[in-house]
């Protein structure tokens, strides 16, 4: 019961605003016939495509039952309007399952945003539409003094399973041991709410993840949490995130053009700002902008 209550609190207040954008804007975006014609034939014939996610990733993806709201839901709604197809959403458990579902053809794409790194580009193409940073969410007052990777040694750190932050923490715990410090107790979770719950219930000392969703969760925590390590590299250089398609998929360039159209007509900016993501806006989307995953 506590688990469900805290997750409900973390997600409270967002469903209505996400749905409201779709209703208000439904008649305002016309189909771009040129972009529609560039879609793969099977998508045009079906009149729809499925975007897969790996659970709640507020404020981008907020999954409640079979419904998804959030910035990504609003943006895919807008994409569907200009592409002239319906975009449905499906949820799987964890990033590995998401990538497997995309690469097997079960789902046409994942809108994400998902971290783009050169190692991942070997099997997938990324249509990057946000820039991100990775920080720590800790209990108010930061009782463990966690402000960087080095200060994470000997602490219980929650991460998203299969994500780039998990890999960075795994590398850091080896460095901790090499430096004669206590290893990090890594806790891997398949969704953001469970990770936040671990910190709020004091089963974890910090959650190491993307700044945008952590900013959202901290704002919903009634003053019980704060962010640390903001403005530091924390094992990353420039970090781009975006939609994921199979390697070489003709859908990738179409999504890129569609995202450019949403930026040019102001829809992208309106949605990103509505969800408090103005600091994560990208000036120009691109394909495979990511760098090397930290070793």
């Amino acid at each position: 019961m506590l688990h469900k209550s805290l997750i409900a609190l973390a997600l409270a207040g967002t469903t209505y605003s996400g749905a409201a954008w779709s209703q208000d804007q439904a008649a305002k975006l016309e189909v771009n016939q040129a972009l529609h014609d560039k879609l793969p034939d099977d998508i045009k014939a079906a009149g729809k495509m499925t975007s897969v996610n790996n659970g709640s990733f507020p404020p981008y993806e907020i999954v409640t039952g079979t419904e998804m709201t959030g910035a990504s839901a609003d943006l895919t709604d807008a994409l569907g309007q200009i592409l002239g197809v319906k975009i449905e959403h499906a949820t799987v458990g964890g990033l590995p399952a998401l990538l497997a579902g995309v690469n097997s053809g079960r789902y046409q794409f994942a809108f994400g945003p998902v971290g783009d790194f050169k190692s991942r580009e070997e099997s997938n193409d990324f249509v990057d539409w946000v820039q991100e940073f990775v920080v720590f969410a800790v209990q108010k007052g930061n009782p463990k003094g966690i402000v960087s990777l080095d200060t994470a040694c000997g602490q219980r750190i929650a991460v998203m399973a299969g994500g780039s932050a998990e890999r960075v923490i795994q590398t850091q715990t080896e460095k901790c041991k090499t430096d004669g410090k206590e290893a990090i107790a890594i806790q891997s979770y398949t969704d953001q709410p469970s990770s936040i719950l671990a910190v709020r219930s004091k089963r974890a000392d910090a959650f190491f993840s993307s700044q945008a969703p952590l900013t959202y969760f901290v704002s919903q925590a009634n003053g019980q949490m704060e962010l640390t390590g903001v403005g530091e590299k924390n094992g990353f250089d420039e970090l781009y995130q975006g939609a994921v398609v199979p390697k070489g998929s003709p859908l990738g360039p179409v999504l890129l053009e569609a995202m450019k159209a949403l930026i040019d007509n102001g829809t992208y900016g309106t949605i990103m700002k509505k969800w408090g993501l103005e600091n994560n806006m990208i000036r120009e989307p691109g394909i495979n902008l990511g760098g090397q995953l930290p070793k």
Side-chain angles (χ1 to χ4, degrees):
M1 183 62 69
L2 176 62
H3 178 84
K4 292 182 178 179
S5 297
L6 287 179
I7 289 179
L9 176 63
L11 303 182
T14 58
T15 302
Y16 175 77
S17 60
W21 186 89
S22 299
Q23 294 168 359
D24 293 343
Q25 301 295 326
K28 296 185 179 181
L29 297 179
E30 297 182 355
V31 175
N32 184 317
Q33 192 60 46
L35 287 179
H36 176 82
D37 292 344
K38 292 180 180 179
L39 286 168
D41 290 339
D42 59 335
I43 294 176
K44 287 188 289 186
K48 64 181 181 179
M49 55 181 171
T50 301
S51 173
V52 63
N53 62 79
N54 64 334
S56 288
F57 185 48
Y60 292 110
E61 299 170 325
I62 302 168
V63 180
T64 307
T66 58
E67 180 183 7
M68 191 181 86
T69 55
S72 295
D74 285 353
L75 284 167
T76 50
D77 180 71
L79 280 174
Q81 290 178 43
I82 65 173
L83 291 174
V85 296
K86 181 179 180 180
I87 298 180
E88 300 176 339
H89 299 280
T91 301
V92 297
L95 182 60
L98 178 150
L99 295 175
V102 170
N103 290 335
S104 69
R106 183 173 184 181
Y107 311 107
Q108 283 72 46
F109 72 115
F111 189 66
V114 177
D116 176 8
F117 298 100
K118 293 305 179 188
S119 58
R120 291 179 179 171
E121 292 170 9
E122 294 174 4
S123 301
N124 295 93
D125 285 329
F126 289 75
V127 182
D128 296 317
W129 55 274
V130 296
Q131 186 167 8
E132 188 52 286
F133 310 90
V134 180
V135 298
F136 296 92
V138 299
Q139 296 161 24
K140 187 65 176 180
N142 193 13
K144 298 292 186 176
I146 301 170
V147 296
S148 64
L149 289 176
D150 285 338
T151 56
C153 295
Q155 310 298 340
R156 301 167 299 171
I157 308 297
V159 292
M160 290 284 287
S164 55
E166 181 184 51
R167 180 168 174 176
V168 169
I169 287 295
Q170 289 171 339
T171 300
Q172 178 61 32
T173 195
E174 294 303 317
K175 182 178 184 297
C176 292
K177 291 186 287 186
T178 299
D179 293 344
K181 300 178 181 178
E182 189 176 348
I184 297 170
I186 303 172
Q187 300 179 8
S188 299
Y189 296 92
T190 59
D191 59 62
Q192 294 270 345
S194 296
S195 304
I196 286 292
L197 176 64
V199 178
R200 293 189 64 176
S201 62
K202 300 183 180 181
R203 289 184 287 109
D205 300 310
F207 178 26
F208 185 57
S209 191
S210 299
Q211 178 176 297
L214 291 191
T215 300
Y216 170 80
F217 276 121
V218 167
S219 74
Q220 299 290 311
N222 297 324
Q224 297 177 14
M225 300 181 69
E226 63 184 69
L227 295 183
T228 67
V230 176
E232 302 298 327
K233 288 189 175 181
N234 294 323
F236 293 88
D237 288 322
E238 287 191 317
L239 178 60
Y240 293 97
Q241 297 178 334
V244 185
V245 297
K247 192 67 180 178
S249 170
L251 181 59
V254 179
L255 290 178
L256 177 62
E257 288 190 52
M259 286 305 301
K260 287 181 177 178
L262 292 181
I263 289 175
D264 291 343
N265 67 24
T267 301
Y268 170 82
T270 297
I271 293 173
M272 293 290 281
K273 291 174 183 176
K274 187 195 82 169
W275 290 96
L277 293 165
E278 55 269 25
N279 292 329
N280 297 91
M281 291 171 58
I282 197 170
R283 292 183 179 181
E284 184 175 353
I287 292 180
N288 297 336
L289 300 179
Q292 297 293 337
L293 184 63
K295 296 181 180 180

